[in-house]
Structure formats: C-alpha cells, structure tokens
C-alpha cells in the first residue's frame, strides 16, 4: 500500500486500508480499493456517464498481443514507453478501462491506474488478470482528493481527463503534487483549435439524433463492436462536461505549480518532426507565435482523433541531488 494514501488526510494506509494518520477505514471490493470520497454534482454526473459506457473498452477477443499491436499504431505510446525507465513508479490518473496502464506495466515498473468509475476499473482489472500482468493495481478515487501518495511517482500520466473536470486548472494542481521532485508530468487535453472538427461533427450528429456522424474514422472502425462504438460516440459527442485549452494555458498551469515545461506532442515547433523527438527532452526553445501557428496545423494532425494534445513537464526539484523517495 506504499503508493496509496488516505484521501481525507493524505496519511499512509496499512495493509487492511486503514489510515495510520486519521484512522479512516476503506474497503477493496473485487480487489479494487475504494478510496473515493463523495464528489460534487458535476463530478458525479461524469462518473454516472462513464458507468453507462466505460471508455474506451475492449473488443471481445482482446489479448495481450492485441494490446501491444494497438499500442504500436500510436507513435505517442511508443515514445512514452521508450522515455520511461524500466523501474519507474507510474500513476495513470483517469485510466478508464486501463489500456495504457497495462501497456506501461512492463519490466520492473509499478503502475497505479486510478479512475472515478468502478465499472471501468472492473474491466481493467479483469484484463490485467487475463493478460497475466501482475505489477499493476487499479484504484477507485477522485483526482480532486486522490487516494495516492503525494510525491510518490516518477511519472504521472493524465490524458483525456482534466477537460472533463469542473475546474481543470485546480485539477492539474492535484495531479502535479503526485510527482516526486524531478518527476515527469504528462497531461493530455482537448485543444481549442484542433477540437473544432469534432465539435462540427457533433453539431451534425445532434441534428440527426446521433444517427449520422460524418468523417469519424474511429467510429467507423468500431462499427462491428457495438459497445466500443457506443462508448466513443458518447465520449466524443454527448459528454456532460467538456473544456478546451491552448498550449499557452497549460504552460501557465505548469508555471503556477513549479513544473518546468518540456515540450508538447505534437511538437509546437513548425519544422520539428514528431518521430525524431525524445518525449521527456526539453524543446530547444519556445516562441509563442510559432506555437500558435503550430496549433492551427494540429487541426489536420489531430482533428480525426478528437483534438487531444499532450504537454510534458518536469516538477522542479528545489533540493536537487536528493535521492528518489524511498519505499517505506
């Protein structure tokens, strides 16, 4: 339980999920610790939304080979896997049905997949069991008061989540505090410009009662998988809480929370090829006007996938040279 914590006071949890600080006791149904405190009405709407159609889901014949092949189709997933050390401690905040957590749980890495929705976590835990992946644990918790150890992780990955919270800026603050000093924070959110094609498709979808969604390649790929088709349709076009952000805005969140901006994916430099980058390497320079022009170009790079972009930062270490947080 070294990487879990009491969501009430942040204290350590003993092996039976009792807090050594405030004495609060928690349970673990189906092996999934319940470290979620009651949320506000808007958060509960999002939780209920994903309870109906867990996202992104699994095809009926999913295997670990399927997972690996799916990951190799994503250049970002490949770069992330290469950049993370073989013994890293990773937290995925908002893991959904757990595909990325399972993909990253290789070697000696330890992965905690945290999500708001137990239905999604059950699918994730069942997949881990079927695939024979042991060094991953799934936890039900809310990122506004996460049941995870502050400064306990080498990498904190949170993609497709903050833009579905009532206050993404405040949510980022909670995510950032989970990374150790010098640790990496990877954030994926909808881009204001690159999201425009999806919003246009959504308007047409609403006019037709969701019967016609033009030029959605992912939806077309899932035509023969009703559950995954419904999950993508709902997530992209029917979500009750959605925000969109610019690269400059996310960089501002990082500055506020002592996180050094490293780079974005896709690159915010006009002539830098995404295949050539090290995901955790600092971008040589940042020019606001160039970044604005690059984001316009993201319409064509990201428009078919919902307009989600990634920003990578490193939490500042004001005690440089200190060793990584040790396990108790």
């Amino acid at each position: 339980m070294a990487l879990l914590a009491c969501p009430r006071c942040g204290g350590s949890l003993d092996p039976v999920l009792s807090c050594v600080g405030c004495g609060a006791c928690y349970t673990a149904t189906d092996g999934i610790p319940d470290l979620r405190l009651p949320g506000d009405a808007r958060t509960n709407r999002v939780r209920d939304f994903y309870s109906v159609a867990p996202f992104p889901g699994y095809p009926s014949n999913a295997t670990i080979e399927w997972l690996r092949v799916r990951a190799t189709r994503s250049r970002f997933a490949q770069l992330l896997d290469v950049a993370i050390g073989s013994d890293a401690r990773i937290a995925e905040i908002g893991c959904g049905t757990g595909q990325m957590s399972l993909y990253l749980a290789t070697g000696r890495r330890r992965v905690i997949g945290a999500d708001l929705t137990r239905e999604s976590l059950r699918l994730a835990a069942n997949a881990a069991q079927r695939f024979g992946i042991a060094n991953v644990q799934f936890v039900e918790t809310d990122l506004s008061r996460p049941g995870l150890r502050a400064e306990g992780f080498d990498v904190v990955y949170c993609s497709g989540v903050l833009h579905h919270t009532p206050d993404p800026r405040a949510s980022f603050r909670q995510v950032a505090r989970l990374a150790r000093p010098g640790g990496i924070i990877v954030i994926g959110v909808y881009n204001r410009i690159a999201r425009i094609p999806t919003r246009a498709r959504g308007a047409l979808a609403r006019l037709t009662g969701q019967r016609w969604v033009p030029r959605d390649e992912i939806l077309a790929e899932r035509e023969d998988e009703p559950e995954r088709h419904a999950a993508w349709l709902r997530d992209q076009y029917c979500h009750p809480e959605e925000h969109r952000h610019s690269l400059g805005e996310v960089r501002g969140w990082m500055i506020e929370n002592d996180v050094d901006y490293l780079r974005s994916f896709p690159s915010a430099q006009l002539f830098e090829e995404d295949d050539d980058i090290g995901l955790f390497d600092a971008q040589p320079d940042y020019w606001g006007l160039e970044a604005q022009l690059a984001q316009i170009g993201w319409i064509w790079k990201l428009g078919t996938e919902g307009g989600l972009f990634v920003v990578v930062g490193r939490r500042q270490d004001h005690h440089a040279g200190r060793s990584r947080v040790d396990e108790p």
Side-chain angles (χ1 to χ4, degrees):
M1 301 302 169
L3 295 177
L4 305 184
C6 174
R8 289 182 170 85
C9 74
S12 300
L13 299 178
D14 66 18
V16 294
L17 296 179
S18 294
C19 176
V20 301
C22 68
C25 297
Y26 303 94
T27 59
T29 306
D30 299 325
I32 303 171
D34 182 357
L35 302 180
R36 182 182 61 85
L37 301 182
D40 60 78
R42 291 168 67 181
T43 300
N44 287 337
R45 277 198 298 271
V46 172
R47 182 172 184 265
D48 293 342
F49 178 83
Y50 284 116
S51 295
V52 173
F55 183 80
Y58 293 88
S60 58
N61 60 345
T63 63
I64 187 145
E65 288 75 20
W66 167 86
L67 181 71
R68 290 170 177 157
V69 169
R70 184 174 183 271
T72 61
R73 295 169 56 188
S74 166
R75 182 56 180 160
F76 169 76
Q78 294 174 346
L79 290 171
L80 183 63
D81 184 45
V82 168
I84 298 176
S86 62
D87 61 346
R89 293 176 296 191
I90 305 166
E92 183 181 7
I93 310 301
C95 67
T97 52
Q99 279 91 331
M100 184 61 84
S101 289
L102 296 176
Y103 173 63
L104 295 177
T106 59
R108 291 178 294 151
R109 294 171 179 165
R110 294 183 58 191
V111 181
I112 304 292
D115 200 84
L116 188 67
T117 306
R118 181 158 287 265
E119 286 76 6
S120 297
L121 293 167
R122 287 197 186 102
L123 291 177
N126 288 339
Q129 185 174 24
R130 292 198 314 273
F131 299 167
I133 300 175
N135 52 330
V136 61
Q137 180 176 18
F138 294 102
V139 179
E140 182 180 354
T141 194
D142 181 355
L143 67 77
S144 66
R145 286 177 290 182
L148 302 178
R149 178 179 170 183
E151 300 190 354
F153 298 89
D154 302 299
V155 178
V156 180
Y157 174 74
C158 180
S159 184
V161 178
L162 298 188
H163 52 237
H164 292 319
T165 64
D167 187 344
R169 179 181 176 185
S171 297
F172 177 85
R173 187 179 308 118
Q174 294 296 332
V175 170
R177 63 187 290 271
L178 299 176
R180 64 173 176 83
I184 296 292
I185 299 164
V186 183
I187 298 294
V189 292
Y190 290 146
N191 183 261
R192 287 177 181 165
I193 300 174
R195 186 72 174 164
I196 290 173
T198 301
R199 297 180 68 195
R201 287 193 295 269
L204 291 172
R206 286 189 293 274
L207 289 174
T208 62
Q210 315 298 335
R211 289 186 296 274
W212 183 58
V213 184
R215 302 181 64 82
D216 188 318
E217 297 175 4
I218 295 177
L219 204 59
E221 289 176 359
R222 299 181 178 188
E223 194 65 43
D224 296 328
E225 302 175 65
E227 291 185 359
R228 298 184 73 224
H229 184 278
W232 178 261
L233 181 68
R234 284 172 53 82
D235 182 73
Q236 291 297 302
Y237 305 111
C238 308
H239 208 287
E241 184 86 44
E242 178 180 305
H243 306 270
R244 294 162 295 279
H245 310 280
S246 67
L247 175 56
E249 182 180 4
V250 179
R251 288 183 77 246
W253 298 345
M254 290 185 168
I255 292 169
E256 293 172 356
N257 291 278
D258 294 332
V259 177
D260 292 326
Y261 168 76
L262 296 180
R263 66 167 53 253
S264 69
F265 185 93
S267 175
Q269 291 190 305
L270 292 174
F271 302 107
E272 183 177 52
E273 295 294 332
D274 293 325
D275 286 346
D276 298 335
I277 68 172
L279 195 62
F280 296 172
D281 294 338
Q283 180 180 309
D285 53 47
Y286 178 87
W287 182 31
L289 177 58
E290 183 181 36
Q292 289 284 353
L293 294 173
Q295 287 173 87
I296 294 172
W298 292 354
I299 288 180
W300 291 272
K301 286 188 175 183
L302 303 175
T304 59
E305 299 180 356
L308 186 138
F309 74 110
V310 173
V311 188
V312 183
R314 185 184 302 277
R315 188 172 181 189
Q316 294 175 10
D317 187 352
H318 298 294
H319 302 282
R322 61 186 267 183
S323 62
R324 192 174 77 178
V325 178
D326 294 326
E327 296 274 341

